């Protein structure tokens, strides 16, 4: 298993729209294992393939404290069950050090394939519902900073660009 590099805002590759996974293979499963290793090392609670520069519709989530609930979603499709919005202070491994309040629907269902290519569906609420929507946004080239004011987004962009120049 390998810890992969994570793309950081404003990297234009984060704006790529990911393509559906045609067949779930051993290579897909190896990528999934690397994505969990990368997410747990960070540490984070969610990671989309887009963030490691792989433009396939797959993501991993684990909101447990002890890495005991790894969840895999391949080709996820979300249905909003209740349009009522809830607020959450979101962060992102691709926007390190910044947290902003975002509103999203709180009750959703999702259909997806699991790591064996088997379809499943599940209803989600709370942090899992928020996290899944945040990760599916990545697959569509979208970031949580797209939901905040342009001024705040610009401030975050400038600070991260400065940090990235320092690291280069
Ligand atoms: C997405 O985010 C998420 O800024 C997952 O310095 C977050 O795992 C969905 C992280 C909150 C819903 C609510 C962020 C780690 C991890 C940072 C993450 C950082 C180090 C973010
Ligand atoms: Co993110």
């Amino acid at each position: 298993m390998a810890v992969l590099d994570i793309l950081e805002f404003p990297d234009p590759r984060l704006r790529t729209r990911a393509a559906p996974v045609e067949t779930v293979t051993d290579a897909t499963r190896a990528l999934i294992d690397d994505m969990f290793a990368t997410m747990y090392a960070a540490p984070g609670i969610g990671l989309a393939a887009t963030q490691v520069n792989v433009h396939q519709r797959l993501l991993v989530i684990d909101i447990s404290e002890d890495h005991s609930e790894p969840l895999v979603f391949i080709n996820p499709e979300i249905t909003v069950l209740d349009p009522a919005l809830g607020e959450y202070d979101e962060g992102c491994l691709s926007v390190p050090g910044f947290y902003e309040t975002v509103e999203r629907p709180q009750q959703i269902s999702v259909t997806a394939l699991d790591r064996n290519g088997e379809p499943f569906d599940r209803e989600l609420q709370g942090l899992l519902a928020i996290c899944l929507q945040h990760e599916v946004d990545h697959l569509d080239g979208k970031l949580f900073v797209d939901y905040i004011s342009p001024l705040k987004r610009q401030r975050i962009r400038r600070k991260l660009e400065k940090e990235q120049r320092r690291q280069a």
Side-chain angles (χ1 to χ4, degrees), residues 57-88:
R57 302 189 75 81
L58 99 86
L59 62 93
V60 300
I61 292 177
D62 190 342
I63 64 165
S64 75
E65 289 191 353
D66 55 358
H67 303 180
S68 61
E69 290 162 39
L71 301 175
V72 174
F73 298 88
I74 300 170
N75 300 342
E77 297 287 349
I78 290 174
T79 303
V80 174
L81 298 178
D82 179 346
L85 302 178
E87 291 189 341
Y88 200 91

Side-chain angles (χ1 to χ4, degrees), residues 43-46 88 90-93 95-99 127 130-131 134-135:
I45 60 168
Y88 200 91
E90 296 190 15
C92 180
L93 290 170
V95 191
F98 296 90
Y99 294 83
L127 181 55
I130 292 158
C131 196
H134 174 117
E135 302 310 334

